[in-house]
């Protein structure tokens, strides 16, 4: 089995375990037992559990920020909002577990912070280019990210996502962005 397949099995096993327990309760032994692999295989791919945190994000293979940036600039906000809602609606429980792990473990928080550099830059660029930019676009981007994360976790973190809730979330976030970018 190739290295990328082994890595994928480890991440899949970890994601499955996070649906039933907090990150802080995970052990390398539990993950590898679930993956059907030995502990030594884990350490060929990761130094510790915290290091894998960014790769646990459901869109890690094709990050939403990359998907959004491939589109036309005028579709950027719609693509971002629809993509975020879809991501949280489909993976709310996993994202809530990862968020809780980051809140409890500084090493996990650091790894996730590094994974969120590109989305933060995208938001910073959007608000800096707005008709009425905030005095500090970087801080405003951090505020928006925290607002989106909290709202989407509250809405979809329990793992229930009806089509109606998806539409309502898209409408709410779209309205926020329309007001931010209004002339």
């Amino acid at each position: 089995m190739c290295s990328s397949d082994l890595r994928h099995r480890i991440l899949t096993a970890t994601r499955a375990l996070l649906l039933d327990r907090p990150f802080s309760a995970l052990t390398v032994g539990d993950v590898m037992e679930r993956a059907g692999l030995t502990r030594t295989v884990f350490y060929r791919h990761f130094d510790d559990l915290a290091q894998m945190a960014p790769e646990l994000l459901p869109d890690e293979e094709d990050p939403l920020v990359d998907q959004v940036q491939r589109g036309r600039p005028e579709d950027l906000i719609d693509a971002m909002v629809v993509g975020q809602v879809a991501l949280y609606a489909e993976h709310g429980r996993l994202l809530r577990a990862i968020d809780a792990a980051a809140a409890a473990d500084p090493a996990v928080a650091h790894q996730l912070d590094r994974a969120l550099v590109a989305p933060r830059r995208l938001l910073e660029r959007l608000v800096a280019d707005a008709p009425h930019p905030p005095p500090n676009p970087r801080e405003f981007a951090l505020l928006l990210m925290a607002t989106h994360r909290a709202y989407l976790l509250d809405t979809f973190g329990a793992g229930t996502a009806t089509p109606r809730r998806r539409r309502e979330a898209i409408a709410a976030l779209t309205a926020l962005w329309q007001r931010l970018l209004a002339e």
Side-chain angles (χ1 to χ4, degrees), residues 111-132:
Q111 291 295 333
L112 286 176
D113 187 57
R114 290 180 55 213
L116 295 174
V117 167
R120 218 177 3 259
R121 283 188 187 139
L122 173 65
L123 290 181
E124 185 177 343
R125 188 183 84 224
L126 285 171
V127 298
D129 293 342
H132 307 286

Side-chain angles (χ1 to χ4, degrees), residues 6-19:
L6 293 172
R7 192 176 189 93
H8 179 75
R9 279 179 63 182
I10 294 167
L11 293 168
T12 300
T14 306
R15 287 182 189 111
L17 289 170
L18 283 173
L19 296 177

Side-chain angles (χ1 to χ4, degrees), residues 77-145:
I77 299 301
D78 288 340
M80 180 181 65
V81 167
V82 169
Q84 274 191 318
V85 169
L87 185 68
Y88 277 81
E90 292 171 31
H91 304 285
R93 288 176 58 207
L94 172 63
L95 291 166
R96 179 167 283 193
I98 293 170
D99 190 64
D105 185 333
V108 173
H110 175 72
Q111 291 295 333
L112 286 176
D113 187 57
R114 290 180 55 213
L116 295 174
V117 167
R120 218 177 3 259
R121 283 188 187 139
L122 173 65
L123 290 181
E124 185 177 343
R125 188 183 84 224
L126 285 171
V127 298
D129 293 342
H132 307 286
N136 187 334
R138 183 181 186 288
E139 284 301 309
F140 200 78
L142 291 171
L143 170 68
L144 285 171
M145 286 185 77

Side-chain angles (χ1 to χ4, degrees), residues 7 28 42-52 111:
R7 192 176 189 93
V28 171
F42 178 88
Y43 291 109
R44 279 188 232 143
H45 298 276
F46 303 100
D47 293 333
D48 55 27
L49 289 170
Q51 184 189 19
M52 78 162 65
Q111 291 295 333

Side-chain angles (χ1 to χ4, degrees), residues 15-103:
R15 287 182 189 111
L17 289 170
L18 283 173
L19 296 177
D20 297 324
R21 64 179 90 163
F23 193 90
S24 60
L26 290 181
T27 67
V28 171
D30 292 338
V31 169
M32 299 314 284
E33 181 179 324
R34 178 75 177 237
L37 301 167
T38 63
R39 289 173 61 93
T40 56
V41 173
F42 178 88
Y43 291 109
R44 279 188 232 143
H45 298 276
F46 303 100
D47 293 333
D48 55 27
L49 289 170
Q51 184 189 19
M52 78 162 65
E55 293 184 51
L56 292 171
L57 296 171
D59 70 339
E60 195 275 329
E61 292 175 14
D62 188 15
L64 178 59
V65 71
D66 293 343
Q67 295 172 39
V68 167
Q69 289 184 25
R70 285 194 297 263
R72 297 181 336 203
E74 58 271 16
D75 297 331
L76 189 64
I77 299 301
D78 288 340
M80 180 181 65
V81 167
V82 169
Q84 274 191 318
V85 169
L87 185 68
Y88 277 81
E90 292 171 31
H91 304 285
R93 288 176 58 207
L94 172 63
L95 291 166
R96 179 167 283 193
I98 293 170
D99 190 64

